[in-house]
Amino acid sequence: MEPLSVVIITHNEEHNLPRLLASVSWADEILVVDSNSTDQTAQICLSAGVRFLQRRFTGFGDQKHFAVNAASHNWVLAIDADEEVSAELAAEIQYMLKSENLDCPAYRIPRHFIFMGHHMRFGGEYGRTFVRFFDRRQANYNLADVHEEVITAGKIGDLNGRMLHFSYRNLHDYFQKFNNYTSRAAAELYKKNKQVSRLYIFVRFPFSFLALYFGKGLILDGYPGFIWALCSALYPVIKYAKLREMIKAGCAY
């Protein structure tokens, strides 16, 4: 049987960790790499008996890359702190590890998105797949500051069990993360010397909102669907507006 390391990066995740840790308690190792949390994150992890490391945050890709390399076992399940492993996914992974039925170096996992307490069925988020279960000898995260992903040269398989993504506790939490993510995304574009016109920023929002709300069916997700369409359409507008600020100032934030 192949042993498994679950790797998690954290910063002030006291609200999410109990749910997540309970869902992966069956793993051979749970490794948390924390970036100097000021809440009860450390205490929760130590009380649960997980392996706990502190490291200055260096970007999502680099932080996860480090966590994967620091794990004790080669087969890794990388989970974000605001996610949960379903019972079906846990059983599927355990069966594969026990039977050593591992035909691919990496596997995609479908994720169900929960926003404002609602299981979102539309908008392109439902059932999106992410590579999270992999052999670190043949796969690992790239070093992107945001929108990081697992890279492998081998074949990628698909699992049926799902992750649950609880994303944001409330809209206050959403916009705190929104500000951080849009700044980091704009800084990445700035480093790549990307340009964007004012006209593009003007027209991007209404077209994005209409495409999400009507084109991708978020109207069928009720009030949470409207708010998600609004926020999602706003995200690239603010990202590009911040990019223009950086270009004007001659430096990233």
Side-chain angles (χ1 to χ4, degrees):
M1 178 174 178
E2 291 280 356
L4 177 74
S5 290
V6 171
V7 299
I8 309 160
I9 68 169
T10 59
H11 177 70
N12 291 341
E13 294 289 354
E14 65 181 9
H15 295 283
N16 288 316
L17 275 170
R19 179 184 62 237
L20 168 58
L21 294 179
S23 76
V24 294
S25 60
W26 46 270
D28 299 283
E29 177 189 50
I30 301 175
L31 169 63
V32 173
V33 177
D34 182 68
S35 53
N36 303 310
S37 290
T38 56
D39 65 358
Q40 298 298 306
T41 291
Q43 291 88 332
I44 291 170
C45 290
L46 295 174
S47 296
V50 309
R51 187 172 159 221
F52 186 79
L53 302 177
Q54 289 273 8
R55 183 178 189 260
R56 180 179 65 86
F57 186 75
T58 54
F60 288 99
D62 188 60
Q63 199 81 343
K64 291 183 179 181
H65 190 94
F66 171 86
V68 169
N69 286 336
S72 300
H73 307 301
N74 288 322
W75 277 95
V76 168
L77 176 63
I79 298 291
D80 290 342
D82 59 2
E83 295 172 341
E84 176 184 341
V85 173
S86 68
E88 295 82 3
L89 176 60
E92 185 176 13
I93 291 175
Q94 289 177 82
Y95 172 78
M96 294 177 71
L97 292 168
K98 185 176 182 179
S99 64
E100 297 189 10
N101 183 25
L102 299 162
D103 300 325
C104 304
Y107 292 85
R108 286 180 289 256
I109 299 174
R111 187 174 74 176
H112 290 190
F113 178 49
I114 301 167
F115 181 66
M116 300 179 71
H118 177 74
H119 285 251
M120 304 293 284
R121 298 169 298 150
F122 301 95
E125 291 292 335
Y126 182 85
R128 281 184 64 194
T129 59
F130 300 85
V131 177
R132 296 294 189 81
F133 178 49
F134 54 92
D135 183 343
R136 67 175 182 179
R137 293 167 294 188
Q138 302 182 65
N140 204 337
Y141 279 94
N142 61 18
L143 303 182
D145 194 27
V146 290
H147 305 308
E148 70 288 351
E149 59 183 348
V150 174
I151 302 300
T152 180
K155 179 183 176 182
I156 299 176
D158 291 285
L159 301 185
N160 295 314
R162 69 195 186 284
M163 302 179 291
L164 302 178
H165 184 207
F166 290 88
S167 61
Y168 314 101
R169 297 195 305 274
N170 48 46
L171 289 175
H172 175 78
D173 181 46
Y174 172 84
F175 280 105
Q176 283 188 317
K177 293 179 179 179
F178 177 98
N179 190 43
N180 180 38
Y181 293 159
T182 51
S183 292
R184 288 183 173 275
E188 276 206 344
L189 294 174
Y190 178 82
K191 292 173 187 176
K192 296 176 182 177
N193 296 314
K194 298 293 185 181
Q195 301 286 328
V196 63
S197 69
R198 289 181 179 180
L199 177 61
Y200 182 80
I201 294 175
F202 278 131
V203 302
R204 177 65 188 261
F205 176 79
F207 281 103
S208 295
F209 176 79
L210 293 172
L212 287 165
Y213 194 56
F214 295 107
K216 292 195 173 182
L218 279 171
I219 188 173
L220 300 175
D221 272 318
Y223 178 67
F226 171 78
I227 297 298
W228 183 246
L230 183 69
C231 293
S232 299
L234 185 61
Y235 181 94
V237 173
I238 300 304
K239 176 181 69 175
Y240 291 128
K242 287 183 176 183
L243 172 61
R244 286 186 61 87
E245 279 192 343
M246 293 177 186
I247 293 171
K248 184 176 180 179
C251 64
Y253 296 157

mmCIF file with all atom_site columns, all heavy atoms in Angstrom, residues 124-139:
data_model
loop_
_atom_site.group_PDB
_atom_site.id
_atom_site.type_symbol
_atom_site.label_atom_id
_atom_site.label_alt_id
_atom_site.label_comp_id
_atom_site.label_asym_id
_atom_site.label_entity_id
_atom_site.label_seq_id
_atom_site.pdbx_PDB_ins_code
_atom_site.Cartn_x
_atom_site.Cartn_y
_atom_site.Cartn_z
_atom_site.occupancy
_atom_site.B_iso_or_equiv
_atom_site.pdbx_formal_charge
_atom_site.auth_seq_id
_atom_site.auth_comp_id
_atom_site.auth_asym_id
_atom_site.auth_atom_id
_atom_site.pdbx_PDB_model_num
ATOM 1   N N   . GLY A 1 124 ? -20.218 27.700 -14.535 1.00 0.00 ? 124 GLY A N   1
ATOM 2   C CA  . GLY A 1 124 ? -18.948 27.091 -14.910 1.00 0.00 ? 124 GLY A CA  1
ATOM 3   C C   . GLY A 1 124 ? -18.138 26.560 -13.743 1.00 0.00 ? 124 GLY A C   1
ATOM 4   O O   . GLY A 1 124 ? -17.096 25.933 -13.947 1.00 0.00 ? 124 GLY A O   1
ATOM 5   N N   . GLU A 1 125 ? -18.595 26.789 -12.487 1.00 0.00 ? 125 GLU A N   1
ATOM 6   C CA  . GLU A 1 125 ? -17.841 26.321 -11.329 1.00 0.00 ? 125 GLU A CA  1
ATOM 7   C C   . GLU A 1 125 ? -18.195 24.887 -10.944 1.00 0.00 ? 125 GLU A C   1
ATOM 8   O O   . GLU A 1 125 ? -17.343 24.153 -10.436 1.00 0.00 ? 125 GLU A O   1
ATOM 9   C CB  . GLU A 1 125 ? -18.100 27.240 -10.130 1.00 0.00 ? 125 GLU A CB  1
ATOM 10  C CG  . GLU A 1 125 ? -17.521 28.637 -10.269 1.00 0.00 ? 125 GLU A CG  1
ATOM 11  C CD  . GLU A 1 125 ? -16.011 28.655 -10.254 1.00 0.00 ? 125 GLU A CD  1
ATOM 12  O OE1 . GLU A 1 125 ? -15.405 27.729 -9.685  1.00 0.00 ? 125 GLU A OE1 1
ATOM 13  O OE2 . GLU A 1 125 ? -15.424 29.579 -10.835 1.00 0.00 ? 125 GLU A OE2 1
ATOM 14  N N   . TYR A 1 126 ? -19.439 24.489 -11.199 1.00 0.00 ? 126 TYR A N   1
ATOM 15  C CA  . TYR A 1 126 ? -19.886 23.169 -10.782 1.00 0.00 ? 126 TYR A CA  1
ATOM 16  C C   . TYR A 1 126 ? -19.086 22.070 -11.483 1.00 0.00 ? 126 TYR A C   1
ATOM 17  O O   . TYR A 1 126 ? -19.035 22.008 -12.715 1.00 0.00 ? 126 TYR A O   1
ATOM 18  C CB  . TYR A 1 126 ? -21.373 22.988 -11.086 1.00 0.00 ? 126 TYR A CB  1
ATOM 19  C CG  . TYR A 1 126 ? -21.942 21.656 -10.642 1.00 0.00 ? 126 TYR A CG  1
ATOM 20  C CD1 . TYR A 1 126 ? -22.378 21.490 -9.334  1.00 0.00 ? 126 TYR A CD1 1
ATOM 21  C CD2 . TYR A 1 126 ? -22.013 20.587 -11.516 1.00 0.00 ? 126 TYR A CD2 1
ATOM 22  C CE1 . TYR A 1 126 ? -22.902 20.274 -8.913  1.00 0.00 ? 126 TYR A CE1 1
ATOM 23  C CE2 . TYR A 1 126 ? -22.523 19.368 -11.109 1.00 0.00 ? 126 TYR A CE2 1
ATOM 24  C CZ  . TYR A 1 126 ? -22.965 19.216 -9.805  1.00 0.00 ? 126 TYR A CZ  1
ATOM 25  O OH  . TYR A 1 126 ? -23.465 18.003 -9.392  1.00 0.00 ? 126 TYR A OH  1
ATOM 26  N N   . GLY A 1 127 ? -18.455 21.228 -10.687 1.00 0.00 ? 127 GLY A N   1
ATOM 27  C CA  . GLY A 1 127 ? -17.750 20.091 -11.257 1.00 0.00 ? 127 GLY A CA  1
ATOM 28  C C   . GLY A 1 127 ? -16.434 20.408 -11.939 1.00 0.00 ? 127 GLY A C   1
ATOM 29  O O   . GLY A 1 127 ? -15.863 19.531 -12.600 1.00 0.00 ? 127 GLY A O   1
ATOM 30  N N   . ARG A 1 128 ? -15.935 21.637 -11.793 1.00 0.00 ? 128 ARG A N   1
ATOM 31  C CA  . ARG A 1 128 ? -14.607 21.937 -12.349 1.00 0.00 ? 128 ARG A CA  1
ATOM 32  C C   . ARG A 1 128 ? -13.580 21.001 -11.735 1.00 0.00 ? 128 ARG A C   1
ATOM 33  O O   . ARG A 1 128 ? -13.652 20.652 -10.561 1.00 0.00 ? 128 ARG A O   1
ATOM 34  C CB  . ARG A 1 128 ? -14.196 23.383 -12.053 1.00 0.00 ? 128 ARG A CB  1
ATOM 35  C CG  . ARG A 1 128 ? -14.830 24.420 -12.951 1.00 0.00 ? 128 ARG A CG  1
ATOM 36  C CD  . ARG A 1 128 ? -14.278 25.798 -12.627 1.00 0.00 ? 128 ARG A CD  1
ATOM 37  N NE  . ARG A 1 128 ? -12.857 25.887 -12.908 1.00 0.00 ? 128 ARG A NE  1
ATOM 38  C CZ  . ARG A 1 128 ? -12.068 26.877 -12.465 1.00 0.00 ? 128 ARG A CZ  1
ATOM 39  N NH1 . ARG A 1 128 ? -12.567 27.834 -11.692 1.00 0.00 ? 128 ARG A NH1 1
ATOM 40  N NH2 . ARG A 1 128 ? -10.804 26.904 -12.769 1.00 0.00 ? 128 ARG A NH2 1
ATOM 41  N N   . THR A 1 129 ? -12.618 20.575 -12.533 1.00 0.00 ? 129 THR A N   1
ATOM 42  C CA  . THR A 1 129 ? -11.637 19.607 -12.042 1.00 0.00 ? 129 THR A CA  1
ATOM 43  C C   . THR A 1 129 ? -10.274 20.261 -11.855 1.00 0.00 ? 129 THR A C   1
ATOM 44  O O   . THR A 1 129 ? -9.903  21.172 -12.602 1.00 0.00 ? 129 THR A O   1
ATOM 45  C CB  . THR A 1 129 ? -11.507 18.417 -13.004 1.00 0.00 ? 129 THR A CB  1
ATOM 46  O OG1 . THR A 1 129 ? -11.106 18.889 -14.301 1.00 0.00 ? 129 THR A OG1 1
ATOM 47  C CG2 . THR A 1 129 ? -12.819 17.664 -13.121 1.00 0.00 ? 129 THR A CG2 1
ATOM 48  N N   . PHE A 1 130 ? -9.565  19.774 -10.852 1.00 0.00 ? 130 PHE A N   1
ATOM 49  C CA  . PHE A 1 130 ? -8.242  20.289 -10.524 1.00 0.00 ? 130 PHE A CA  1
ATOM 50  C C   . PHE A 1 130 ? -7.318  19.112 -10.210 1.00 0.00 ? 130 PHE A C   1
ATOM 51  O O   . PHE A 1 130 ? -7.732  18.159 -9.545  1.00 0.00 ? 130 PHE A O   1
ATOM 52  C CB  . PHE A 1 130 ? -8.308  21.208 -9.301  1.00 0.00 ? 130 PHE A CB  1
ATOM 53  C CG  . PHE A 1 130 ? -9.197  22.405 -9.488  1.00 0.00 ? 130 PHE A CG  1
ATOM 54  C CD1 . PHE A 1 130 ? -10.570 22.307 -9.255  1.00 0.00 ? 130 PHE A CD1 1
ATOM 55  C CD2 . PHE A 1 130 ? -8.683  23.617 -9.905  1.00 0.00 ? 130 PHE A CD2 1
ATOM 56  C CE1 . PHE A 1 130 ? -11.400 23.402 -9.419  1.00 0.00 ? 130 PHE A CE1 1
ATOM 57  C CE2 . PHE A 1 130 ? -9.506  24.714 -10.078 1.00 0.00 ? 130 PHE A CE2 1
ATOM 58  C CZ  . PHE A 1 130 ? -10.865 24.615 -9.834  1.00 0.00 ? 130 PHE A CZ  1
ATOM 59  N N   . VAL A 1 131 ? -6.083  19.190 -10.665 1.00 0.00 ? 131 VAL A N   1
ATOM 60  C CA  . VAL A 1 131 ? -5.101  18.160 -10.331 1.00 0.00 ? 131 VAL A CA  1
ATOM 61  C C   . VAL A 1 131 ? -4.662  18.378 -8.893  1.00 0.00 ? 131 VAL A C   1
ATOM 62  O O   . VAL A 1 131 ? -4.036  19.383 -8.569  1.00 0.00 ? 131 VAL A O   1
ATOM 63  C CB  . VAL A 1 131 ? -3.886  18.214 -11.277 1.00 0.00 ? 131 VAL A CB  1
ATOM 64  C CG1 . VAL A 1 131 ? -2.845  17.170 -10.849 1.00 0.00 ? 131 VAL A CG1 1
ATOM 65  C CG2 . VAL A 1 131 ? -4.300  17.985 -12.724 1.00 0.00 ? 131 VAL A CG2 1
ATOM 66  N N   . ARG A 1 132 ? -4.996  17.428 -8.034  1.00 0.00 ? 132 ARG A N   1
ATOM 67  C CA  . ARG A 1 132 ? -4.674  17.559 -6.607  1.00 0.00 ? 132 ARG A CA  1
ATOM 68  C C   . ARG A 1 132 ? -4.053  16.289 -6.016  1.00 0.00 ? 132 ARG A C   1
ATOM 69  O O   . ARG A 1 132 ? -3.479  16.345 -4.937  1.00 0.00 ? 132 ARG A O   1
ATOM 70  C CB  . ARG A 1 132 ? -5.931  17.907 -5.814  1.00 0.00 ? 132 ARG A CB  1
ATOM 71  C CG  . ARG A 1 132 ? -6.546  19.247 -6.161  1.00 0.00 ? 132 ARG A CG  1
ATOM 72  C CD  . ARG A 1 132 ? -5.626  20.406 -5.773  1.00 0.00 ? 132 ARG A CD  1
ATOM 73  N NE  . ARG A 1 132 ? -6.302  21.667 -5.902  1.00 0.00 ? 132 ARG A NE  1
ATOM 74  C CZ  . ARG A 1 132 ? -7.134  22.181 -5.023  1.00 0.00 ? 132 ARG A CZ  1
ATOM 75  N NH1 . ARG A 1 132 ? -7.387  21.515 -3.919  1.00 0.00 ? 132 ARG A NH1 1
ATOM 76  N NH2 . ARG A 1 132 ? -7.713  23.340 -5.237  1.00 0.00 ? 132 ARG A NH2 1
ATOM 77  N N   . PHE A 1 133 ? -4.221  15.175 -6.682  1.00 0.00 ? 133 PHE A N   1
ATOM 78  C CA  . PHE A 1 133 ? -3.714  13.891 -6.192  1.00 0.00 ? 133 PHE A CA  1
ATOM 79  C C   . PHE A 1 133 ? -2.632  13.440 -7.167  1.00 0.00 ? 133 PHE A C   1
ATOM 80  O O   . PHE A 1 133 ? -2.914  13.200 -8.344  1.00 0.00 ? 133 PHE A O   1
ATOM 81  C CB  . PHE A 1 133 ? -4.865  12.888 -6.129  1.00 0.00 ? 133 PHE A CB  1
ATOM 82  C CG  . PHE A 1 133 ? -4.483  11.501 -5.696  1.00 0.00 ? 133 PHE A CG  1
ATOM 83  C CD1 . PHE A 1 133 ? -3.717  11.274 -4.566  1.00 0.00 ? 133 PHE A CD1 1
ATOM 84  C CD2 . PHE A 1 133 ? -4.916  10.400 -6.435  1.00 0.00 ? 133 PHE A CD2 1
ATOM 85  C CE1 . PHE A 1 133 ? -3.375  9.991  -4.185  1.00 0.00 ? 133 PHE A CE1 1
ATOM 86  C CE2 . PHE A 1 133 ? -4.587  9.113  -6.057  1.00 0.00 ? 133 PHE A CE2 1
ATOM 87  C CZ  . PHE A 1 133 ? -3.812  8.906  -4.920  1.00 0.00 ? 133 PHE A CZ  1
ATOM 88  N N   . PHE A 1 134 ? -1.379  13.339 -6.683  1.00 0.00 ? 134 PHE A N   1
ATOM 89  C CA  . PHE A 1 134 ? -0.296  13.086 -7.623  1.00 0.00 ? 134 PHE A CA  1
ATOM 90  C C   . PHE A 1 134 ? 0.934   12.505 -6.934  1.00 0.00 ? 134 PHE A C   1
ATOM 91  O O   . PHE A 1 134 ? 1.092   12.582 -5.704  1.00 0.00 ? 134 PHE A O   1
ATOM 92  C CB  . PHE A 1 134 ? 0.091   14.374 -8.366  1.00 0.00 ? 134 PHE A CB  1
ATOM 93  C CG  . PHE A 1 134 ? 0.426   15.539 -7.473  1.00 0.00 ? 134 PHE A CG  1
ATOM 94  C CD1 . PHE A 1 134 ? 1.736   15.777 -7.066  1.00 0.00 ? 134 PHE A CD1 1
ATOM 95  C CD2 . PHE A 1 134 ? -0.555  16.414 -7.040  1.00 0.00 ? 134 PHE A CD2 1
ATOM 96  C CE1 . PHE A 1 134 ? 2.051   16.851 -6.252  1.00 0.00 ? 134 PHE A CE1 1
ATOM 97  C CE2 . PHE A 1 134 ? -0.255  17.500 -6.227  1.00 0.00 ? 134 PHE A CE2 1
ATOM 98  C CZ  . PHE A 1 134 ? 1.062   17.715 -5.831  1.00 0.00 ? 134 PHE A CZ  1
ATOM 99  N N   . ASP A 1 135 ? 1.806   11.956 -7.759  1.00 0.00 ? 135 ASP A N   1
ATOM 100 C CA  . ASP A 1 135 ? 3.107   11.440 -7.339  1.00 0.00 ? 135 ASP A CA  1
ATOM 101 C C   . ASP A 1 135 ? 4.113   12.578 -7.506  1.00 0.00 ? 135 ASP A C   1
ATOM 102 O O   . ASP A 1 135 ? 4.386   13.006 -8.622  1.00 0.00 ? 135 ASP A O   1
ATOM 103 C CB  . ASP A 1 135 ? 3.483   10.247 -8.218  1.00 0.00 ? 135 ASP A CB  1
ATOM 104 C CG  . ASP A 1 135 ? 4.792   9.590  -7.823  1.00 0.00 ? 135 ASP A CG  1
ATOM 105 O OD1 . ASP A 1 135 ? 5.579   10.222 -7.079  1.00 0.00 ? 135 ASP A OD1 1
ATOM 106 O OD2 . ASP A 1 135 ? 5.057   8.467  -8.289  1.00 0.00 ? 135 ASP A OD2 1
ATOM 107 N N   . ARG A 1 136 ? 4.643   13.057 -6.402  1.00 0.00 ? 136 ARG A N   1
ATOM 108 C CA  . ARG A 1 136 ? 5.511   14.235 -6.466  1.00 0.00 ? 136 ARG A CA  1
ATOM 109 C C   . ARG A 1 136 ? 6.821   13.971 -7.200  1.00 0.00 ? 136 ARG A C   1
ATOM 110 O O   . ARG A 1 136 ? 7.539   14.907 -7.545  1.00 0.00 ? 136 ARG A O   1
ATOM 111 C CB  . ARG A 1 136 ? 5.813   14.746 -5.064  1.00 0.00 ? 136 ARG A CB  1
ATOM 112 C CG  . ARG A 1 136 ? 6.661   13.799 -4.229  1.00 0.00 ? 136 ARG A CG  1
ATOM 113 C CD  . ARG A 1 136 ? 7.025   14.420 -2.920  1.00 0.00 ? 136 ARG A CD  1
ATOM 114 N NE  . ARG A 1 136 ? 7.880   13.522 -2.147  1.00 0.00 ? 136 ARG A NE  1
ATOM 115 C CZ  . ARG A 1 136 ? 8.378   13.821 -0.956  1.00 0.00 ? 136 ARG A CZ  1
ATOM 116 N NH1 . ARG A 1 136 ? 8.100   14.996 -0.409  1.00 0.00 ? 136 ARG A NH1 1
ATOM 117 N NH2 . ARG A 1 136 ? 9.147   12.964 -0.309  1.00 0.00 ? 136 ARG A NH2 1
ATOM 118 N N   . ARG A 1 137 ? 7.142   12.719 -7.455  1.00 0.00 ? 137 ARG A N   1
ATOM 119 C CA  . ARG A 1 137 ? 8.333   12.421 -8.248  1.00 0.00 ? 137 ARG A CA  1
ATOM 120 C C   . ARG A 1 137 ? 8.124   12.773 -9.714  1.00 0.00 ? 137 ARG A C   1
ATOM 121 O O   . ARG A 1 137 ? 9.096   12.912 -10.471 1.00 0.00 ? 137 ARG A O   1
ATOM 122 C CB  . ARG A 1 137 ? 8.700   10.937 -8.115  1.00 0.00 ? 137 ARG A CB  1
ATOM 123 C CG  . ARG A 1 137 ? 9.166   10.533 -6.727  1.00 0.00 ? 137 ARG A CG  1
ATOM 124 C CD  . ARG A 1 137 ? 9.209   9.043  -6.541  1.00 0.00 ? 137 ARG A CD  1
ATOM 125 N NE  . ARG A 1 137 ? 7.871   8.435  -6.601  1.00 0.00 ? 137 ARG A NE  1
ATOM 126 C CZ  . ARG A 1 137 ? 7.613   7.160  -6.313  1.00 0.00 ? 137 ARG A CZ  1
ATOM 127 N NH1 . ARG A 1 137 ? 8.597   6.363  -5.921  1.00 0.00 ? 137 ARG A NH1 1
ATOM 128 N NH2 . ARG A 1 137 ? 6.375   6.681  -6.388  1.00 0.00 ? 137 ARG A NH2 1
ATOM 129 N N   . GLN A 1 138 ? 6.864   12.920 -10.114 1.00 0.00 ? 138 GLN A N   1
ATOM 130 C CA  . GLN A 1 138 ? 6.558   13.217 -11.514 1.00 0.00 ? 138 GLN A CA  1
ATOM 131 C C   . GLN A 1 138 ? 5.681   14.445 -11.694 1.00 0.00 ? 138 GLN A C   1
ATOM 132 O O   . GLN A 1 138 ? 5.336   14.794 -12.822 1.00 0.00 ? 138 GLN A O   1
ATOM 133 C CB  . GLN A 1 138 ? 5.860   12.017 -12.152 1.00 0.00 ? 138 GLN A CB  1
ATOM 134 C CG  . GLN A 1 138 ? 6.667   10.724 -12.105 1.00 0.00 ? 138 GLN A CG  1
ATOM 135 C CD  . GLN A 1 138 ? 5.936   9.596  -12.789 1.00 0.00 ? 138 GLN A CD  1
ATOM 136 O OE1 . GLN A 1 138 ? 5.704   9.599  -14.001 1.00 0.00 ? 138 GLN A OE1 1
ATOM 137 N NE2 . GLN A 1 138 ? 5.559   8.581  -12.011 1.00 0.00 ? 138 GLN A NE2 1
ATOM 138 N N   . ALA A 1 139 ? 5.315   15.099 -10.603 1.00 0.00 ? 139 ALA A N   1
ATOM 139 C CA  . ALA A 1 139 ? 4.417   16.256 -10.697 1.00 0.00 ? 139 ALA A CA  1
ATOM 140 C C   . ALA A 1 139 ? 4.626   17.154 -9.484  1.00 0.00 ? 139 ALA A C   1
ATOM 141 O O   . ALA A 1 139 ? 4.987   16.683 -8.403  1.00 0.00 ? 139 ALA A O   1
ATOM 142 C CB  . ALA A 1 139 ? 2.968   15.787 -10.769 1.00 0.00 ? 139 ALA A CB  1
#
